[in-house]
Amino acid sequence: MLLHSHLHLNVQFLPPHSSFPSFPSSKFATVPFPTQIRTISSSSSSSTHRFRRIRNSVTNDKLNESENNKKPLQQTVNRPYPFHEIEPKWQRFWDQHRTFRTPDDDLDTSKPKYYILDMFPYPSGAGLHVGHPLGYTATDILARFKRMQGYNVLHPMGWDAFGLPAEQYAINTGTHPKLTTVTNINRFTSQLKSLGFSYDWDREISTIEPEYYKWTQWIFLQLLKRGLAYQAEVPVNWCPALGTVLANEEVIDGVSERGGHPVPMRQWMLKITAYADRLLEDLDELDWPESVEDYIDVASRKSDLERTELQKEKTGVFTGCYAKNPANGEAIPIWVADYVLGSYGTGAIMAVPAHDSRDYEFALKYDIPIHWVVTPDDKSISESGKAFPGEGIIVNSSNTLMGLDINGLGSKEAALKVIDWAEKSGNGKRKVNYKLRDWLFARQRYWGEPIPVIFLDDSGETVPLDETELPLILPELDDFSPTGTGEPPLAKAVSWVKTTDKLSGRPATRETNTMPQWAGSCWYYLRFMDPNNSKELVDKAKERYWGPVDVYVGGAEHAVLHLLYARFWHKVLFDIGVVSTKEPFQCVINQGIILGEVQYMACRDKDGNLISADSTNMLNEHNLERISEEKVTKSGDSFVLKENPEIRLVARAHKMSKSRGNVVNPDDVVSEYGADSLRLYEMFMGPLRDSKTWSTSGIEGVHRFLGRTWRLIVGLPLSDGTYNDRTVSVDKEPTIEQLRCLHKCIAKVTEEIEGTRFNTGISAMMEFLNAAYKWDNHPKSVVEAFVLLLSPYAPHMAEELWSRLGHTKSLAYEPFPKANPVYLKDSTIVLPVQINGKTRGTIQVEETCTEEDAFALASTDEKLSKYLDGQSVKKRIYVPGKILNVVLDRKNIKVGVQ
């Protein structure tokens, strides 16, 4: 038996969302270019082109006044269509007209609602790559689609802006974190707008604003009132250099990169364990991806602490005492060990060394007997010198005196039988024991929400602030660095820390720990429903209408703990009547990762000679050399050097990171191809939930598709490079074939958007375009419908085409086309043709084909015509859609026809 000695508890977590820093908005101009814009020639659009970067907005702002007075540089760049003019134009239009504003008090609630939300981004300044807009583009397509279907759409954006990165930057540079955070927010806003995302910017919120964190503090007080927030002395990983408790992800071999050690500290805890059953049971009602399996694992099985402890050397000491095994009466030595969790169960466990890797390591180290009680199917496993934690057949587990025999049973069946035996014999009782830990809620940081409690100086009693005192404003500090004593930086704000209890007038001290970054992101989806309400967290009527979130999209790597904490807070708010739903998010979608472009590496041996990658399994023993794409060719399933096909290369794609040098910046892509091309390509790369590899050459394909769309509808450019203000569509009725082609496209695009299969929706539009290029003319009604289909994917081009088709309003709220089932049927059928009662062949005819037309087709058919040429027809029997039987005059039948 093992007892807890001391506990290394790492429960501060990293932010739940990817960092999404922005780049400055590009300032485009019409052809010819003004001099301050760097031009990119059309010949540079190959996959190996090294993009040039447009100067940042600060530089442009300084140059604008003087540069606008200069004559433009007469240089023309050939583009498939003028996206550099179109996209800024429509972004300005949407901004000025607040096109995507969702009405608040004047909302027509008789219409259906659709609340689609992106996971709250952290506005870091670290840089943005093309993988980040993947989920944003998907949600924007859904939002635009649902608006056009007549839904009230709530599609907001805001900022999870508190957090350690901004504070560390402030410490290193002396810049207040609010300044850098606001700068990053402004840049990120311009980034999102440059990609044409249809957010309702009137609902923008930020966790660092007192009007917002007032309600974060209010929620904390409700938790405190209900005994769900409490203080405890817990061992935590304290890093003196950072001056805070470390999250598990920040710990390497027990310490941070800057050092640290476990120490007991007074911490605020949230009793999430009180909701463990409901957090698991209510998942059954949700539409969540398979990776929720990971979420359940965190919630019900293995804690993060256990994962870090697995790699740690186990130490312990024998107590000299023994316990009696109730199942067989044997004496069991009692040890104290550092890897046993004091918070798990009673803090004492029955170790089974043969079937737990930690127990096995401990038993080997201290020469404790190891008894196998589960036999794996693979007998070699029991001889491998390792523990076997899996399921198998029970052995060495029978005691007739105790009335227990589980030999020969499977693991699960045996476990149930032992539980029944323990309850009947009075040796134990059935209990579900979650390994979920209470949430450590305090941080020794400056840049976070102040915790609204005070401590009376004379008694140490904890006193919550009155709700009328909220928000408790974060005080201004010039020095954010760690104190080095374990006290948080807020302890330096002496005049703020020293206060008086409002009720008793006694002197008191404010809590100087702050809330973790998770706090603000736990409930932001509710504030978007009612962002300007100063009297309550959210209006009940608005919450009843908008809740829950219909679709919630974000990366799986950041979602697990965020979803756990947000659901916990939501259930508390449900219990106290603030919200009307048990769950915050009905459907969760985890988008895949966009990997960097494939990198090709050649191996060299110790003498510097190139060797084939398939000649060694130990690539780490050889020097790897980067090979440019133009020197590579594919041979079968492998990639080889063009100049020496015998040399097989290593081809790998990695997650984008600055250290690997494979980051693709979206402002470069937008400059070269336009925002619509970037949006379209990210959706066309593959299924939304799958990981994909970026290819600069791949984006050229969708860019050509948009160019072909433009030329089909607007026509070719004039001699001066400009285009007609109108389109080449014609005011005439479409043919049956044109209608069939259109409505099949409508049906497919609609189905694929609803199923978030955006790549196949694009394929359907490409097929339509190929067919349309074969038509002699393009009826306006067909062209308009196609432009509406395209608009969720490529909104800038679609708005421009819609305008050129003669419309004066945005297409954002135009009805999305509906497929007519009449045109979805395949109208041609295969008609059997009989000659004198014997089937001689078939012809393909329209369903509405007349007898005369059917006979004419049969007469010209290569196979049937030899039976009919020169023959006298006695009669024809025609059953529409079924058969054509031609009866010939037998007197004139040719002899020898086979």
Side-chain angles (χ1 to χ4, degrees):
M1 173 174 284
L2 298 175
L3 299 179
H4 161 75
S5 61
H6 65 272
L7 175 63
H8 301 186
L9 186 61
N10 309 324
V11 287
Q12 177 181 350
F13 304 105
L14 293 178
H17 315 295
S18 301
S19 298
F20 296 101
S22 69
F23 57 81
S25 59
S26 300
K27 298 197 174 182
F28 295 97
T30 58
V31 177
F33 285 102
T35 54
Q36 71 265 32
I37 302 296
R38 300 178 183 176
T39 60
I40 301 175
S41 66
S42 60
S43 62
S44 63
S45 59
S46 69
S47 61
T48 57
H49 169 66
R50 187 174 183 86
F51 291 112
R52 301 173 188 170
R53 184 171 299 176
I54 293 180
R55 297 176 184 177
N56 64 44
S57 58
V58 176
T59 304
N60 279 339
D61 289 341
K62 292 180 179 178
L63 291 177
N64 276 345
E65 185 175 354
S66 59
E67 293 290 355
N68 287 340
N69 295 325
K70 295 182 180 180
K71 293 183 179 180
L73 180 66
Q74 298 294 328
Q75 180 174 355
T76 300
V77 175
N78 294 322
R79 294 185 175 92
Y81 70 100
F83 62 83
H84 62 295
E85 299 174 347
I86 293 170
E87 293 181 352
K89 167 186 173 181
W90 288 103
Q91 289 162 17
R92 288 191 299 270
F93 177 92
W94 296 326
D95 231 10
Q96 293 166 4
H97 292 81
R98 299 162 73 196
T99 303
F100 308 112
R101 174 185 173 271
T102 302
D104 196 7
D105 295 328
D106 55 343
L107 183 70
D108 180 4
T109 56
S110 66
K111 295 170 62 177
K113 66 93 178 179
Y114 195 77
Y115 186 178
I116 182 161
L117 186 62
D118 297 293
M119 287 189 182
F120 220 17
Y122 174 73
S124 165
L128 178 69
H129 63 65
V130 292
H132 293 133
L134 178 64
Y136 293 171
T137 304
T139 58
D140 192 61
I141 291 172
L142 289 171
R144 289 175 178 274
F145 173 66
K146 288 297 182 178
R147 285 191 197 98
M148 298 173 76
Q149 286 191 321
Y151 285 76
N152 286 328
V153 172
L154 185 57
H155 188 40
M157 177 50 68
W159 318 105
D160 189 12
F162 277 127
L164 185 59
E167 184 164 341
Q168 281 304 118
Y169 183 82
I171 292 171
N172 295 335
T173 65
T175 307
H176 196 283
K178 184 166 187 178
L179 295 178
T180 56
T181 300
V182 170
T183 298
N184 291 340
I185 287 174
N186 291 336
R187 293 174 61 203
F188 194 66
T189 300
S190 67
Q191 159 74 22
L192 295 179
K193 290 183 177 180
S194 76
L195 293 173
F197 297 134
S198 61
Y199 295 118
D200 178 2
W201 290 106
D202 285 6
R203 293 176 183 260
E204 180 182 8
I205 58 177
S206 172
T207 58
I208 65 173
E209 298 303 325
E211 296 81 7
Y212 180 87
Y213 67 70
K214 166 186 177 179
W215 297 105
T216 308
Q217 293 171 336
W218 181 87
I219 295 173
F220 177 84
L221 292 179
Q222 311 316 306
L223 294 166
L224 188 61
K225 288 178 186 177
R226 287 154 182 80
L228 296 171
Y230 64 95
Q231 296 178 82
E233 287 281 335
V234 294
V236 295
N237 276 304
W238 168 254
C239 176
L242 294 175
T244 191
V245 171
L246 298 172
N248 297 322
E249 295 86 346
E250 299 169 309
V251 177
I252 302 172
D253 296 329
V255 299
S256 77
E257 293 180 356
R258 304 190 184 195
H261 53 278
V263 296
M265 294 184 68
R266 179 185 59 84
Q267 299 287 308
W268 281 100
M269 309 289 292
L270 298 188
K271 201 170 185 180
I272 190 173
T273 52
Y275 283 74
D277 289 319
R278 289 166 62 182
L279 287 168
L280 284 178
E281 293 165 0
D282 292 346
L283 282 173
D284 295 337
E285 304 174 15
L286 304 177
D287 179 13
W288 284 23
E290 293 180 3
S291 59
V292 170
E293 294 174 5
D294 298 331
Y295 172 90
I296 294 173
D297 187 65
V298 170
S300 64
R301 291 183 55 248
K302 183 180 291 184
S303 72
D304 291 298
L305 174 62
E306 289 179 275
R307 283 195 286 272
T308 62
E309 292 290 296
L310 288 175
Q311 307 303 321
K312 181 181 176 182
E313 182 182 0
K314 282 70 178 172
T315 61
V317 62
F318 178 48
T319 65
C321 300
Y322 293 84
K324 182 180 179 181
N325 185 342
N328 58 17
E330 293 182 1
I332 304 171
I334 300 176
W335 288 72
V336 175
D338 62 351
Y339 72 95
V340 179
L341 303 178
S343 57
Y344 179 66
T346 62
I349 66 166
M350 176 68 175
V352 187
H355 306 293
D356 182 276
S357 59
R358 294 164 298 179
D359 295 343
Y360 188 85
E361 292 173 14
F362 189 85
L364 284 179
K365 181 173 181 178
Y366 293 102
D367 199 24
I368 300 173
I370 298 174
H371 299 290
W372 284 75
V373 293
V374 181
T375 302
D377 294 333
D378 185 352
K379 303 297 182 183
S380 64
I381 294 178
S382 59
E383 302 171 359
S384 66
K386 297 180 180 179
F388 173 64
E391 296 182 1
I393 303 300
I394 301 299
V395 296
N396 302 323
S397 300
S398 174
N399 191 300
T400 55
L401 292 177
M402 298 296 177
L404 180 64
D405 182 2
I406 55 175
N407 280 340
L409 299 180
S411 301
K412 290 183 178 179
E413 183 182 359
L416 294 174
K417 188 171 181 179
V418 170
I419 293 171
D420 290 339
W421 171 85
E423 288 188 320
K424 291 177 182 177
S425 64
N427 286 302
K429 61 181 180 179
R430 188 184 311 265
K431 181 183 178 182
V432 177
N433 194 26
Y434 295 102
K435 294 187 181 180
L436 176 67
R437 301 287 168 261
D438 280 347
W439 176 7
L440 191 151
F441 197 69
R443 297 293 184 269
Q444 293 70 47
R445 298 175 180 169
Y446 166 70
W447 194 232
E449 299 93 339
I451 296 176
V453 298
I454 59 175
F455 306 100
L456 299 181
D457 290 348
D458 55 5
S459 66
E461 179 186 353
T462 301
V463 179
L465 293 188
D466 189 87
E467 292 178 11
T468 60
E469 298 181 74
L470 302 181
L472 175 59
I473 303 294
L474 185 68
E476 293 288 336
L477 275 185
D478 295 326
D479 180 11
F480 329 102
S481 60
T483 61
T485 63
E487 284 190 300
L490 275 180
K492 299 176 182 181
V494 178
S495 61
W496 179 85
V497 171
K498 293 302 179 181
T499 186
T500 303
D501 177 28
K502 184 178 180 181
L503 186 63
S504 67
R506 294 150 68 185
T509 301
R510 294 193 189 277
E511 171 63 81
T512 53
N513 286 316
T514 55
M515 298 185 193
Q517 187 174 359
W518 303 101
S521 63
C522 277
W523 69 278
Y524 71 102
Y525 58 93
L526 294 172
R527 195 60 178 173
F528 279 137
M529 301 175 184
D530 194 13
N532 301 312
N533 194 331
S534 61
K535 297 181 180 180
E536 55 186 335
L537 185 148
V538 61
D539 177 80
K540 286 182 170 54
K542 293 175 182 177
E543 184 278 328
R544 282 194 300 271
Y545 179 74
W546 286 115
V549 174
D550 294 283
V551 177
Y552 193 34
V553 178
E557 68 274 21
H558 302 287
V560 173
L561 291 171
H562 160 63
L563 293 173
L564 183 66
Y565 296 151
R567 292 182 65 228
F568 166 46
W569 277 29
H570 189 89
K571 290 182 182 302
V572 174
L573 293 174
F574 175 77
D575 290 346
I576 65 177
V578 175
V579 298
S580 60
T581 63
K582 292 192 299 182
E583 290 288 336
F585 316 115
Q586 183 59 37
C587 174
V588 172
I589 297 175
N590 296 139
Q591 81 266 16
I593 297 172
I594 294 183
L595 303 174
E597 294 209 46
V598 174
Q599 296 179 348
Y600 304 97
M601 310 294 290
C603 296
R604 290 188 183 273
D605 61 20
K606 59 183 180 181
D607 297 322
N609 300 314
L610 284 172
I611 58 174
S612 183
D614 58 2
S615 66
T616 177
N617 293 323
M618 302 297 291
L619 296 180
N620 292 334
E621 295 181 1
H622 300 276
N623 293 321
L624 294 179
E625 176 183 319
R626 181 85 174 266
I627 304 297
S628 59
E629 186 178 6
E630 60 266 22
K631 296 181 180 180
V632 178
T633 188
K634 191 167 186 181
S635 176
D637 294 330
S638 303
F639 291 92
V640 299
L641 281 176
K642 284 182 180 179
E643 61 183 22
N644 186 358
E646 297 298 318
I647 301 298
R648 183 178 174 180
L649 304 175
V650 178
R652 294 175 180 170
H654 300 276
K655 189 174 180 179
M656 289 187 183
S657 67
K658 288 185 177 180
S659 61
R660 292 189 180 275
N662 64 347
V663 172
V664 179
N665 197 324
D667 63 347
D668 296 330
V669 180
V670 170
S671 175
E672 179 79 0
Y673 299 102
D676 282 344
S677 291
L678 176 59
R679 291 169 58 109
L680 212 62
Y681 178 58
E682 296 219 351
M683 295 297 97
F684 192 58
M685 292 173 73
L688 176 62
R689 296 162 178 82
D690 291 359
S691 293
K692 290 140 316 235
T693 302
W694 177 268
S695 171
T696 304
S697 59
I699 197 174
E700 294 170 357
V702 295
H703 191 55
R704 286 193 297 270
F705 162 70
L706 290 175
R708 294 183 71 219
T709 300
W710 179 265
R711 293 191 298 275
L712 179 82
I713 298 173
V714 176
L716 296 173
L718 303 175
S719 58
D720 62 356
T722 61
Y723 292 85
N724 285 317
D725 292 335
R726 295 290 177 175
T727 69
V728 295
S729 60
V730 295
D731 286 317
K732 63 180 298 185
E733 288 298 314
T735 66
I736 294 295
E737 185 57 37
Q738 288 172 331
L739 289 172
R740 287 191 188 121
C741 186
L742 171 65
H743 284 269
K744 286 181 179 179
C745 183
I746 293 172
K748 184 65 173 177
V749 171
T750 302
E751 179 183 0
E752 301 308 87
I753 291 180
E754 289 175 340
T756 66
R757 298 179 294 270
F758 305 111
N759 55 321
T760 47
I762 296 171
S763 296
M765 290 187 283
M766 290 178 170
E767 291 173 6
F768 171 88
L769 193 70
N770 289 337
Y773 260 94
K774 299 175 184 177
W775 300 344
D776 293 332
N777 57 67
H778 301 94
K780 184 178 180 180
S781 61
V782 174
V783 170
E784 286 180 330
F786 178 70
V787 169
L788 294 175
L789 289 181
L790 180 66
S791 63
Y793 289 89
H796 305 91
M797 172 179 278
E799 288 275 24
E800 181 66 21
L801 294 175
W802 190 250
S803 174
R804 290 175 183 241
L805 284 162
H807 301 278
T808 57
K809 293 183 179 180
S810 167
L811 54 65
Y813 296 92
E814 289 293 321
F816 198 80
K818 293 184 179 180
N820 188 333
V822 172
Y823 301 115
L824 300 181
K825 297 178 181 178
D826 192 346
S827 62
T828 61
I829 60 172
V830 176
L831 186 73
V833 178
Q834 293 183 343
I835 307 296
N836 288 340
K838 187 173 182 179
T839 301
R840 296 294 187 180
T842 60
I843 55 175
Q844 194 165 19
V845 299
E846 298 285 334
E847 283 184 337
T848 57
C849 182
T850 64
E851 179 181 333
E852 288 299 326
D853 289 339
F855 182 71
L857 286 171
S859 300
T860 57
D861 181 81
E862 181 179 358
K863 183 176 180 181
L864 294 171
S865 61
K866 62 184 180 181
Y867 295 99
L868 299 174
D869 287 348
Q871 299 298 311
S872 174
V873 177
K874 185 175 181 180
K875 66 176 180 177
R876 297 194 302 248
I877 303 171
Y878 180 60
V879 181
K882 299 294 184 180
I883 196 168
L884 170 64
N885 187 6
V886 181
V887 180
L888 302 178
D889 187 343
R890 291 188 175 274
K891 295 180 180 179
N892 298 320
I893 294 179
K894 292 181 180 179
V895 178
V897 175
Q898 299 296 323

